[in-house]
Amino acid sequence: MEGAREAFEAELHLLHAQGRLREVATRVLGEYGGEVLGFLANVTGSRDEASVVFSQVCEDLWVGLPAFRFGCSLRTWMYTLARNATHRARLEPFGRKRVAISDHPELLEVEARVRTTTLTYLRSETKDRVRRLREELEPDDRTILVLRIDRDMSWNEVAAIMLGDRVEDEATRTQHAAWLRKRFERIKERLRAMLAREEAARRA
Amino acid sequence: MTGEARSSGSDESFEQLLREVARAPSIDPDEALVAQVDLVGRTLAHFRVVERIGAGGMGVVYRAIDEKLQRPVALKVLSPRAVRDREARELLLREARSAAAVNHPNIAAVYEVGEAGEAGETGETGNVSFIAMELVEGTTLRAQSKNGPIAPDALLHFATEIARGLARAHKQGIVHRDLKPDNVMTSGDGQVKILDFGLAKAVTSGETSSGQVAGTPAYMSPEQAMGAAVDARSDVFSFGVMLVELATGTLPEGVRKRAPAEIAARAPMPFAPIVARCLQHEPADRFADGDELLAALRAAMPSAGETKPAPTRRKGRVFPLVVAAGAAVVVTATVAIGVSSRRARDVHDPRLPASSAPPPVVTKPTPTLRRLTANIPADPIAHAALSPDGKSLAWSDATGLYVQTLGAPAPRAIELPSGGPSAVVAWTPSGKRLYASSTDALIEVDLATMATTEIAKGRFSGLAVAGDGKHIAFADTDRVGYLSLESPRDAHPLVQKKDGCFISEVAWSPDGGRIAYVSHCFDSLAATAIESVDLDGHAPQLALADPRLWNDSGYGGLVWTKAGELVYPLAEWLPAEPGSNLHALHVDPKTGAAIGSARQLTHLVGVNASRLSTDAEATRIAFVRFEVQTDVYLGALEDGGRRLHPPTRLTLTDRNERPSTFSRDGADVLFFTDRNGSFDLYAQAIAGGPARPLVATPAWETMSQLGPDGASLLFWQFPAVAAGEAVKPTLMRAHLDGTGNAPLLTTLGFSHPAGAGRPQPWEMRFRCPRAKDASCLLSERDGDALVFTALDPFTGRGKERFRFAHATAAQNLWDLSPDGRRLALPSANGPITVRTLEGGASFEVSLPSGCDPLVPTFASDGAGLFVSAECQDEAFRLYAIRFGEKPTLLWEDPPRLLLETEASPDGKQLAIAVKTSDDDVWMLQDW
């Protein structure tokens, strides 16, 4: 799996170097769109909101691709975009107009296909209790849980995503990764506390 | 599931809940389209679908029953990604049918291809394309390789079986196009089956409009990656990649860019030479097809007559520093049973299953490297020699001359009568005496008494004692010759060194009739050669001319073995990992002429070898392994540029980085680096923080300058080529942030790409002034002449300004003043000429006696120079020369080599390229 992903990333790096950006965007969306949308659905707690944010991610992908320097993998970058877009969506609740990729029907087609199939697949899979716990957590906490536990990313990858485009230097990332580990422990403590509360309420 | 999640608490239900909270399901949209239609229990054509057994890029695979023939099959239902339109679907089915024609036990049979609605109907599932294939029980090689490297004996079996399948398919004109461990199944009894033959082309050919090519990039041959036509040799390449991956447990990187030998070196014997040939970039240099590949693998397999009882099954090994000799190493032993069964399978009925597990193979001891000294970088090994019995080492470094029995706890120091460091050392054939050079004399050392005697005067750079023990060949500052130990003060010079060259190594022919030597020519790399001369002083005979005899240590290495072979190191040039490897060439001891072509003895990666010596039988080779690294340092200038605060390191990788210029605001140093494998342009803020890439492509970008307009970034770009190929660099222009690259001109001359730390073109240079109204200047070689033309960042090469008819190599490293009005032109052993471009007036400035300039750079006010220099005491120093004043020493930091400098626009900072080396003696055994 890792080998296949590395090979995929290497191929797209090559296409990127050749300036075949539309192809890169299409294939990145096809490959990672589903998992990023699944991630968004978890973090936003809403399929509709995830769908809107996903559009923003697609746009950001398209706009940012020419300047992307492969300082991280495209997959990590997609999650960075997704995390940033989620953040922006919270700050700008009325959203922004989508423009960039509408000129490229094949990109829109992939985006639509990802959205339709993934969201259909996601329907009715979340249990109420789990949803409640998720809603109690901060979006960033949810982000950390998904990336670390479900997506099995290294702490440095999680740090890269959480820091976004702000920091390129490895030392800062490593430092942030150490901080994230502590935060991860605190999230778990919070969840335990929530569960204890639930349990107490149920007994009462 | 991460370790932390598992270990964070004892409550398993909490862990489960945590996983659910973190769960963010995703699905491959293409797969979803197929997955949504659950085919289990339904029938496609005459195939009853029993269960889903996997999914991949092509679609979902089911176990099904062929109801006509009542046999199990693997039914591959193709995903929409694989067959996007009718044309693609038809092509896929056609290809699959053609692959179905290949009937071989090592290829999973394709039974049927077609399209069907459910149970012959259409509508409910729509038409689905499928391929019914032989159901192979077992695991893929991918799954097996997850446990680490596959043991060489098992791998040899797998490789042979795969090659057998390839041979059959290739014979029928079928190319796999996507050979990788995922597409090879193995069963518990050692049976090997290649899956999906020929399908890759069909699966992606429907998408050729988007330029996508069939196959998996990591395994693709260069021609396949480029989308060119492929044949059987492309499968051979993929086979090589797969073999390295399985042998080492990791997928090799850069297979289409790096030297095949370098990648092959990671694979253990007997695979390395086979892999090296498979991975050749030119298809014509590979095995022609599976048949040739199979023959090579069979040759690597032991023969039935060379058997040994009770073999031990060896575990797979990854050699961190693998040495794989070529023809010198042969596999000599194996197990009779294994060979018989394998041979039997060559002719067995293909319809019968394989009868036994892969047999183990025992190979000869692998060549090994042993480290013999452990000097610190500040005290590099100057020279070393292995004793004739291979049990002792003599070496010299800055602290003296030593001899040590290998394995003994401490060396014995040898006091030289005249003091000073020793340059070179040589043993007598008996091993009882040593000859060593001191600063200005040749010293004989009696190892029994440790007594030393000066026997001749001179500065020697090469010594070798003849087989008769009565003569010593030498190279000194001017010549090659020999002296008789009976009258050592009477030297017999044989060859005078050529201008622009020096001689550092000498070796006697086995019969003692000739002396071979390496002539390193810094004026013309191409003239660097191994020659030999007879004792009568006839004209030298060329044995080998190869610019790769140059390396970054400034030393070569030369041994003439009893078997008549000259052994010498050749540098590995970028884009291969910088280093060198040993080669051997038969040379006629009578005439000195080469016989046949050279063979490569080692496949070292990232190891530089120089200063060779062997034991008497040449079964062990000692060499000085050196590592070089160039970094950008930065120091604050004071007192108008006459003093420099001790510089500190600015760039912080372990790769090679060299400064090119400062940004206009002086906040960044622009430098080039091989941190990504090829040279790229980066900017480093002098305030610290991470370096920013400016131009980073697979080609090499080096030596940038800012255009006088302040808005252009100019730099050399070398195309990415195979190691050792001559290249024609292009001068590129980009925006300041590195975007918008465009070629400006291609240089007239050719340049050989050099090793790490020396990527600059030797035959052309350009420099740009800061003054807006001045123009950049470009110099190029035209034969012996150095031609200067104006250079415009937008129109390229302008009018010729002037030329030097007979320019030396030293003159290539000129500089242009910030106002664009003056040129500083160094000379090899003399002053630096500062020439006013308009009017031609000039004056000279000189360094202190005994120091020769390397690279001059104008101070930012144009009123002085910073000059790196190499001095006769072998120190490298940095001087400031204010015009009209005496030079002042800015910095020396022995033994580090100081190269080019760049002054910041405000004159407050100086960036310096600093090269460090670390030399130690290593020994190669059983090569």
Side-chain angles (χ1 to χ4, degrees), chain A residues 116-195:
Chain A
T116 309
T117 51
T118 306
L119 292 180
T120 306
Y121 183 79
L122 292 179
R123 191 158 292 154
S124 79
E125 72 82 28
T126 313
K127 294 174 189 160
D128 284 349
R129 187 189 190 202
V130 170
R131 186 183 301 137
R132 233 179 13 252
L133 287 173
R134 275 183 195 162
E135 283 169 359
E136 290 265 339
L137 293 173
E138 292 291 320
D140 274 357
D141 290 349
R142 276 180 249 163
T143 303
I144 294 165
L145 285 186
V146 175
L147 297 180
R148 180 63 185 162
I149 298 180
D150 199 69
R151 298 293 188 252
D152 207 15
M153 287 185 176
S154 72
W155 280 117
N156 273 358
E157 281 175 305
V158 181
I161 291 165
M162 298 304 287
L163 287 168
D165 306 327
R166 287 173 292 151
V167 177
E168 287 184 355
D169 109 74
E170 199 58 40
T172 309
R173 263 184 215 163
T174 308
Q175 203 175 19
H176 195 70
W179 180 80
L180 284 173
R181 282 167 178 266
K182 290 181 188 163
R183 181 165 174 173
F184 180 69
E185 291 306 320
R186 284 203 298 275
I187 297 168
K188 288 199 291 190
E189 282 165 23
R190 281 192 59 198
L191 278 172
R192 282 183 196 278
M194 281 183 232
L195 283 173

Side-chain angles (χ1 to χ4, degrees), chain B residues 514-553:
Chain B
R514 295 188 80 83
I515 298 170
Y517 54 92
V518 188
S519 178
H520 301 269
C521 298
F522 40 83
D523 259 357
S524 168
L525 279 183
T528 295
I530 299 175
E531 296 173 345
S532 69
V533 62
D534 65 22
L535 302 192
D536 296 328
H538 289 113
Q541 169 68 45
L542 176 73
L544 172 77
D546 194 323
R548 292 175 297 163
L549 287 162
W550 255 104
N551 64 47
D552 272 321
S553 76

Side-chain angles (χ1 to χ4, degrees), chain B residues 20 22 111 134 328 441 445 458 606 650 755 807:
Chain B
E20 283 191 43
Y111 296 141
E134 178 183 358
V445 182
L650 181 69

Side-chain angles (χ1 to χ4, degrees), chain B residues 213-536:
Chain B
V213 290
T216 305
Y219 301 86
M220 277 183 195
S221 63
E223 64 273 20
Q224 192 179 9
M226 287 168 61
V230 299
D231 58 21
R233 294 170 296 183
S234 185
D235 281 349
V236 169
F237 186 94
S238 306
F239 177 91
V241 178
M242 183 168 72
L243 213 51
V244 177
E245 183 183 11
L246 297 174
T248 64
T250 52
L251 186 61
E253 290 180 1
V255 286
R256 292 181 290 276
K257 193 172 158 195
R258 293 164 60 198
E262 181 196 344
I263 296 165
R266 293 178 52 205
M269 293 304 292
F271 303 110
I274 293 171
V275 167
R277 184 147 173 217
C278 289
L279 294 184
Q280 290 296 318
H281 299 176
E282 278 298 322
D285 295 336
R286 295 178 213 142
F287 298 110
D289 54 19
D291 216 26
E292 277 197 7
L293 185 58
L294 184 61
L297 284 162
R298 280 179 174 152
M301 285 168 68
S303 68
E306 299 165 325
T307 58
K308 270 188 186 175
T312 308
R313 194 183 169 94
R314 284 173 46 190
K315 287 294 234 182
R317 275 179 66 190
V318 182
F319 299 96
L321 185 68
V322 175
V323 182
V329 176
V330 289
V331 178
T332 56
T334 188
V335 183
I337 295 169
V339 171
S340 334
S341 76
R342 205 183 345 241
R343 300 222 152 193
R345 288 195 56 206
D346 284 350
V347 292
H348 84 305
D349 183 340
R351 290 165 299 185
L352 296 176
S355 57
S356 68
V361 176
V362 177
T363 60
K364 220 185 151 182
T366 305
T368 54
L369 273 175
R370 178 177 168 191
R371 184 174 176 158
L372 302 184
T373 66
N375 281 29
I376 58 172
D379 182 21
I381 301 288
H383 203 267
L386 193 63
S387 63
D389 64 2
K391 293 178 178 172
S392 299
L393 182 78
W395 81 87
S396 58
D397 60 28
T399 65
L401 177 64
Y402 302 91
V403 62
Q404 182 169 19
T405 305
L406 301 184
R412 287 186 292 164
I414 297 168
E415 290 290 326
L416 294 178
S418 51
S422 169
V424 284
V425 58
W427 292 80
T428 57
S430 67
K432 292 179 179 171
R433 280 173 296 154
L434 278 179
Y435 290 94
S437 68
S438 67
T439 309
D440 59 357
L442 178 61
I443 312 293
E444 183 181 83
V445 182
D446 183 328
L447 290 171
T449 61
M450 299 297 271
T452 56
T453 313
E454 180 183 307
I455 61 167
K457 283 286 183 192
R459 293 186 65 186
F460 298 99
S461 54
L463 290 177
V465 184
D468 62 5
K470 295 177 181 172
H471 298 88
I472 295 183
F474 67 84
D476 63 15
T477 47
D478 299 317
R479 64 221 165 131
V480 172
Y482 72 97
L483 45 87
S484 163
L485 287 171
E486 289 172 0
S487 53
R489 303 216 173 241
D490 300 327
H492 301 271
L494 297 173
V495 180
Q496 203 69 17
K497 78 174 177 68
K498 295 175 201 156
D499 282 346
C501 304
F502 68 91
I503 294 163
S504 68
E505 314 286 337
V506 287
W508 286 96
S509 61
D511 64 358
R514 295 188 80 83
I515 298 170
Y517 54 92
V518 188
S519 178
H520 301 269
C521 298
F522 40 83
D523 259 357
S524 168
L525 279 183
T528 295
I530 299 175
E531 296 173 345
S532 69
V533 62
D534 65 22
L535 302 192
D536 296 328

Side-chain angles (χ1 to χ4, degrees), chain B residues 781-856:
Chain B
R781 283 272 167 180
D782 180 8
D784 280 351
L786 191 63
V787 183
F788 287 77
T789 49
L791 172 68
D792 184 281
F794 291 92
T795 57
R797 193 182 284 108
K799 284 185 181 172
E800 181 176 325
R801 300 284 300 274
F802 50 90
R803 65 167 60 206
F804 298 106
H806 300 289
T808 63
Q811 289 176 319
N812 287 347
L813 296 171
W814 52 270
D815 192 33
L816 186 65
S817 62
D819 62 6
R821 293 170 190 274
R822 282 171 162 178
L823 186 77
L825 197 68
S827 59
N829 305 304
I832 299 165
T833 304
V834 180
R835 176 187 167 125
T836 306
L837 295 179
E838 302 300 334
S842 65
F843 60 91
E844 291 181 344
V845 293
S846 293
L847 292 171
S849 165
C851 292
D852 298 328
L854 291 174
V855 193

Side-chain angles (χ1 to χ4, degrees), chain B residues 9-33:
Chain B
S10 57
D11 184 353
E12 205 171 293
S13 64
F14 173 74
E15 297 296 340
Q16 178 59 34
L17 187 71
L18 189 62
R19 281 196 290 270
E20 283 191 43
V21 171
R23 191 165 131 75
S26 61
I27 190 164
D28 179 332
D30 285 337
E31 196 184 310
L33 292 180

